[in-house]
Short mmCIF file of all heavy atoms in Angstrom, two decimals:
data_model
loop_
_atom_site.label_atom_id
_atom_site.label_comp_id
_atom_site.label_asym_id
_atom_site.label_seq_id
_atom_site.Cartn_x
_atom_site.Cartn_y
_atom_site.Cartn_z
N LEU A 1 2.79 2.48 -8.86
CA LEU A 1 3.54 2.23 -10.07
C LEU A 1 4.47 1.03 -9.98
O LEU A 1 4.56 0.24 -10.88
CB LEU A 1 4.37 3.47 -10.44
CG LEU A 1 3.68 4.69 -11.05
CD1 LEU A 1 4.67 5.87 -11.18
CD2 LEU A 1 3.06 4.37 -12.37
N VAL A 2 5.09 0.90 -8.84
CA VAL A 2 6.00 -0.26 -8.57
C VAL A 2 5.21 -1.57 -8.71
O VAL A 2 5.57 -2.52 -9.34
CB VAL A 2 6.62 -0.16 -7.20
CG1 VAL A 2 7.35 -1.44 -6.83
CG2 VAL A 2 7.61 1.00 -7.14
N LYS A 3 4.03 -1.61 -8.05
CA LYS A 3 3.22 -2.80 -8.10
C LYS A 3 2.71 -3.13 -9.49
O LYS A 3 2.75 -4.28 -9.96
CB LYS A 3 2.05 -2.65 -7.12
CG LYS A 3 2.43 -2.63 -5.65
CD LYS A 3 1.24 -2.30 -4.77
CE LYS A 3 1.70 -2.20 -3.32
NZ LYS A 3 0.59 -1.74 -2.44
N SER A 4 2.19 -2.11 -10.18
CA SER A 4 1.62 -2.32 -11.49
C SER A 4 2.70 -2.74 -12.50
O SER A 4 2.49 -3.61 -13.34
CB SER A 4 0.86 -1.12 -12.00
OG SER A 4 1.70 0.02 -12.11
N TRP A 5 3.88 -2.09 -12.44
CA TRP A 5 4.94 -2.47 -13.35
C TRP A 5 5.50 -3.88 -13.05
O TRP A 5 5.82 -4.61 -13.99
CB TRP A 5 6.06 -1.41 -13.30
CG TRP A 5 5.85 -0.28 -14.21
CD1 TRP A 5 5.34 0.98 -13.96
CD2 TRP A 5 6.09 -0.26 -15.66
NE1 TRP A 5 5.28 1.75 -15.03
CE2 TRP A 5 5.73 1.00 -16.12
CE3 TRP A 5 6.58 -1.22 -16.54
CZ2 TRP A 5 5.83 1.33 -17.49
CZ3 TRP A 5 6.70 -0.85 -17.88
CH2 TRP A 5 6.34 0.40 -18.32
N ASN A 6 5.65 -4.18 -11.78
CA ASN A 6 6.16 -5.52 -11.46
C ASN A 6 5.29 -6.66 -11.93
O ASN A 6 5.77 -7.73 -12.27
CB ASN A 6 6.40 -5.65 -9.95
CG ASN A 6 7.74 -5.08 -9.51
OD1 ASN A 6 8.69 -5.04 -10.27
ND2 ASN A 6 7.82 -4.63 -8.26
N SER A 7 3.97 -6.39 -12.01
CA SER A 7 3.05 -7.42 -12.48
C SER A 7 2.66 -7.24 -13.94
O SER A 7 1.87 -8.00 -14.45
CB SER A 7 1.77 -7.40 -11.62
OG SER A 7 1.13 -6.12 -11.72
N SER A 8 3.26 -6.23 -14.64
CA SER A 8 2.91 -5.98 -16.00
C SER A 8 3.44 -7.05 -16.95
O SER A 8 4.41 -7.77 -16.67
CB SER A 8 3.46 -4.59 -16.41
OG SER A 8 4.88 -4.67 -16.50
N LEU A 9 2.81 -7.09 -18.12
CA LEU A 9 3.26 -8.02 -19.15
C LEU A 9 4.67 -7.68 -19.63
O LEU A 9 5.44 -8.59 -20.01
CB LEU A 9 2.26 -7.98 -20.31
CG LEU A 9 0.89 -8.61 -20.08
CD1 LEU A 9 -0.03 -8.40 -21.31
CD2 LEU A 9 0.98 -10.09 -19.74
N THR A 10 4.96 -6.38 -19.63
CA THR A 10 6.31 -5.92 -20.08
C THR A 10 7.39 -6.55 -19.16
O THR A 10 8.39 -7.11 -19.67
CB THR A 10 6.42 -4.41 -20.02
OG1 THR A 10 5.43 -3.85 -20.90
CG2 THR A 10 7.81 -3.96 -20.46
N MET A 11 7.22 -6.41 -17.85
CA MET A 11 8.23 -6.96 -16.93
C MET A 11 8.21 -8.49 -16.93
O MET A 11 9.26 -9.13 -16.77
CB MET A 11 7.94 -6.41 -15.50
CG MET A 11 8.24 -4.93 -15.36
SD MET A 11 9.97 -4.47 -15.76
CE MET A 11 10.84 -5.27 -14.41
N GLN A 12 7.03 -9.09 -17.03
CA GLN A 12 6.96 -10.53 -17.10
C GLN A 12 7.73 -11.04 -18.36
O GLN A 12 8.44 -12.02 -18.30
CB GLN A 12 5.54 -11.02 -17.16
CG GLN A 12 4.77 -10.82 -15.84
CD GLN A 12 3.34 -11.27 -15.93
OE1 GLN A 12 3.03 -12.31 -16.51
NE2 GLN A 12 2.43 -10.49 -15.35
N GLY A 13 7.54 -10.33 -19.46
CA GLY A 13 8.27 -10.68 -20.69
C GLY A 13 9.74 -10.50 -20.54
O GLY A 13 10.53 -11.34 -21.05
N LEU A 14 10.16 -9.41 -19.89
CA LEU A 14 11.61 -9.16 -19.68
C LEU A 14 12.21 -10.27 -18.87
O LEU A 14 13.30 -10.78 -19.16
CB LEU A 14 11.78 -7.80 -18.98
CG LEU A 14 13.24 -7.30 -18.83
CD1 LEU A 14 13.28 -5.78 -18.90
CD2 LEU A 14 13.89 -7.77 -17.55
N ARG A 15 11.51 -10.70 -17.78
CA ARG A 15 12.03 -11.75 -16.92
C ARG A 15 12.07 -13.10 -17.67
O ARG A 15 13.07 -13.86 -17.55
CB ARG A 15 11.20 -11.87 -15.65
CG ARG A 15 11.39 -10.72 -14.68
CD ARG A 15 10.74 -10.98 -13.32
NE ARG A 15 9.31 -10.83 -13.34
CZ ARG A 15 8.65 -9.72 -13.03
NH1 ARG A 15 9.32 -8.66 -12.64
NH2 ARG A 15 7.33 -9.65 -13.09
N LEU A 16 11.02 -13.37 -18.45
CA LEU A 16 11.01 -14.62 -19.21
C LEU A 16 12.10 -14.69 -20.26
O LEU A 16 12.79 -15.67 -20.42
CB LEU A 16 9.61 -14.79 -19.88
CG LEU A 16 9.44 -16.04 -20.75
CD1 LEU A 16 9.71 -17.32 -19.97
CD2 LEU A 16 8.05 -16.08 -21.39
N GLY A 17 12.21 -13.55 -20.99
CA GLY A 17 13.26 -13.47 -22.01
C GLY A 17 14.65 -13.62 -21.41
O GLY A 17 15.52 -14.32 -21.97
N SER A 18 14.86 -13.00 -20.28
CA SER A 18 16.13 -13.11 -19.62
C SER A 18 16.43 -14.54 -19.15
O SER A 18 17.56 -15.01 -19.21
CB SER A 18 16.20 -12.15 -18.38
OG SER A 18 16.10 -10.80 -18.81
N ARG A 19 15.37 -15.17 -18.67
CA ARG A 19 15.51 -16.59 -18.22
C ARG A 19 15.94 -17.47 -19.37
O ARG A 19 16.83 -18.36 -19.24
CB ARG A 19 14.22 -17.06 -17.61
CG ARG A 19 14.31 -18.32 -16.74
CD ARG A 19 12.98 -18.61 -16.07
NE ARG A 19 12.61 -17.55 -15.20
CZ ARG A 19 11.42 -16.88 -15.29
NH1 ARG A 19 10.55 -17.23 -16.22
NH2 ARG A 19 11.15 -15.90 -14.46
N LEU A 20 15.33 -17.27 -20.55
CA LEU A 20 15.68 -18.07 -21.71
C LEU A 20 17.13 -17.80 -22.16
O LEU A 20 17.87 -18.71 -22.51
CB LEU A 20 14.71 -17.77 -22.86
CG LEU A 20 13.26 -18.25 -22.66
CD1 LEU A 20 12.37 -17.72 -23.77
CD2 LEU A 20 13.17 -19.78 -22.58
N LEU A 21 17.51 -16.50 -22.16
CA LEU A 21 18.85 -16.14 -22.56
C LEU A 21 19.90 -16.68 -21.57
O LEU A 21 21.00 -17.09 -21.98
CB LEU A 21 18.96 -14.62 -22.71
CG LEU A 21 18.22 -14.00 -23.90
CD1 LEU A 21 18.19 -12.47 -23.80
CD2 LEU A 21 18.89 -14.44 -25.21
N TYR A 22 19.50 -16.68 -20.32
CA TYR A 22 20.43 -17.21 -19.28
C TYR A 22 20.67 -18.71 -19.48
O TYR A 22 21.77 -19.23 -19.33
CB TYR A 22 19.91 -16.93 -17.92
CG TYR A 22 20.74 -17.61 -16.80
CD1 TYR A 22 22.03 -17.17 -16.56
CD2 TYR A 22 20.21 -18.64 -16.05
CE1 TYR A 22 22.80 -17.79 -15.57
CE2 TYR A 22 20.98 -19.28 -15.08
CZ TYR A 22 22.27 -18.84 -14.81
OH TYR A 22 23.04 -19.45 -13.87
N SER A 23 19.57 -19.44 -19.85
CA SER A 23 19.72 -20.88 -20.05
C SER A 23 20.67 -21.20 -21.18
O SER A 23 21.26 -22.29 -21.22
CB SER A 23 18.33 -21.50 -20.29
OG SER A 23 17.82 -21.05 -21.56
N ILE A 24 20.78 -20.25 -22.12
CA ILE A 24 21.67 -20.48 -23.25
C ILE A 24 23.10 -19.97 -22.97
O ILE A 24 24.07 -20.67 -23.22
CB ILE A 24 21.13 -19.72 -24.51
CG1 ILE A 24 19.76 -20.29 -24.91
CG2 ILE A 24 22.10 -19.84 -25.69
CD1 ILE A 24 19.02 -19.48 -25.95
N SER A 25 23.18 -18.77 -22.45
CA SER A 25 24.46 -18.11 -22.28
C SER A 25 25.12 -18.29 -20.91
O SER A 25 26.33 -18.11 -20.78
CB SER A 25 24.33 -16.61 -22.53
OG SER A 25 23.54 -15.98 -21.53
N ARG A 26 24.31 -18.58 -19.89
CA ARG A 26 24.75 -18.63 -18.47
C ARG A 26 25.34 -17.28 -18.02
O ARG A 26 26.17 -17.22 -17.09
CB ARG A 26 25.80 -19.74 -18.26
CG ARG A 26 25.42 -21.11 -18.83
CD ARG A 26 24.00 -21.51 -18.46
NE ARG A 26 23.86 -21.86 -17.03
CZ ARG A 26 22.75 -22.26 -16.45
NH1 ARG A 26 21.64 -22.31 -17.16
NH2 ARG A 26 22.69 -22.56 -15.15
N SER A 27 24.92 -16.24 -18.64
CA SER A 27 25.38 -14.88 -18.27
C SER A 27 24.70 -14.41 -16.99
O SER A 27 23.50 -14.49 -16.84
CB SER A 27 25.05 -13.90 -19.41
OG SER A 27 25.18 -12.58 -18.99
N LYS A 28 25.52 -13.85 -16.07
CA LYS A 28 24.94 -13.34 -14.83
C LYS A 28 24.00 -12.18 -15.10
O LYS A 28 23.07 -11.96 -14.31
CB LYS A 28 26.10 -12.88 -13.90
CG LYS A 28 26.91 -14.02 -13.32
CD LYS A 28 27.98 -13.46 -12.40
CE LYS A 28 28.80 -14.57 -11.77
NZ LYS A 28 29.85 -14.04 -10.88
N ARG A 29 24.28 -11.46 -16.16
CA ARG A 29 23.41 -10.31 -16.49
C ARG A 29 22.00 -10.77 -16.78
O ARG A 29 21.02 -10.20 -16.30
CB ARG A 29 24.00 -9.54 -17.70
CG ARG A 29 23.19 -8.30 -18.06
CD ARG A 29 23.98 -7.48 -19.09
NE ARG A 29 23.25 -6.25 -19.41
CZ ARG A 29 22.73 -5.95 -20.60
NH1 ARG A 29 22.91 -6.83 -21.59
NH2 ARG A 29 22.11 -4.85 -20.82
N PHE A 30 21.85 -11.85 -17.56
CA PHE A 30 20.54 -12.39 -17.86
C PHE A 30 19.95 -13.11 -16.64
O PHE A 30 18.73 -13.11 -16.48
CB PHE A 30 20.60 -13.31 -19.05
CG PHE A 30 20.95 -12.60 -20.34
CD1 PHE A 30 22.01 -13.02 -21.13
CD2 PHE A 30 20.23 -11.48 -20.72
CE1 PHE A 30 22.33 -12.33 -22.27
CE2 PHE A 30 20.58 -10.78 -21.88
CZ PHE A 30 21.61 -11.24 -22.67
N GLN A 31 20.81 -13.69 -15.79
CA GLN A 31 20.31 -14.31 -14.57
C GLN A 31 19.68 -13.23 -13.67
O GLN A 31 18.60 -13.44 -13.09
CB GLN A 31 21.46 -14.99 -13.84
CG GLN A 31 20.99 -15.73 -12.54
CD GLN A 31 22.14 -16.35 -11.82
OE1 GLN A 31 23.30 -16.10 -12.11
NE2 GLN A 31 21.84 -17.17 -10.83
N ALA A 32 20.31 -12.07 -13.61
CA ALA A 32 19.78 -10.94 -12.85
C ALA A 32 18.46 -10.49 -13.42
O ALA A 32 17.48 -10.24 -12.72
CB ALA A 32 20.77 -9.80 -12.79
N GLY A 33 18.38 -10.38 -14.74
CA GLY A 33 17.15 -9.98 -15.40
C GLY A 33 15.98 -10.92 -15.18
O GLY A 33 14.84 -10.51 -15.14
N SER A 34 16.28 -12.20 -14.98
CA SER A 34 15.24 -13.20 -14.82
C SER A 34 14.51 -13.07 -13.46
O SER A 34 13.40 -13.59 -13.32
CB SER A 34 15.81 -14.60 -14.91
OG SER A 34 16.66 -14.92 -13.83
N VAL A 35 15.13 -12.34 -12.50
CA VAL A 35 14.44 -12.17 -11.19
C VAL A 35 14.26 -10.69 -10.89
O VAL A 35 13.95 -10.30 -9.75
CB VAL A 35 15.25 -12.86 -10.06
CG1 VAL A 35 15.27 -14.37 -10.25
CG2 VAL A 35 16.66 -12.30 -9.99
N LEU A 36 14.45 -9.80 -11.87
CA LEU A 36 14.41 -8.36 -11.66
C LEU A 36 13.04 -7.91 -11.20
O LEU A 36 12.01 -8.21 -11.80
CB LEU A 36 14.79 -7.65 -12.96
CG LEU A 36 14.73 -6.10 -12.87
CD1 LEU A 36 15.85 -5.60 -11.90
CD2 LEU A 36 15.01 -5.54 -14.29
#
């Protein structure tokens, strides 16, 4: 489950979305989400 979820489109989307939000807000929370 760990492997499949880490490579899933859902987690990839979460990381990508967090990366975009971090580039705008510089929030540590979104920085964490970008590498979760």
Side-chain angles (χ1 to χ4, degrees):
L1 285 173
V2 171
K3 291 172 183 173
S4 62
W5 272 100
N6 276 333
S7 60
S8 69
L9 291 176
T10 300
M11 291 301 293
Q12 290 179 42
L14 187 149
R15 288 191 284 265
L16 177 60
S18 297
R19 196 173 302 123
L20 292 172
L21 290 170
Y22 173 69
S23 67
I24 297 169
S25 67
R26 312 309 292 178
S27 164
K28 289 182 180 178
R29 184 169 181 244
F30 293 127
Q31 184 183 10
S34 69
V35 295
L36 180 65

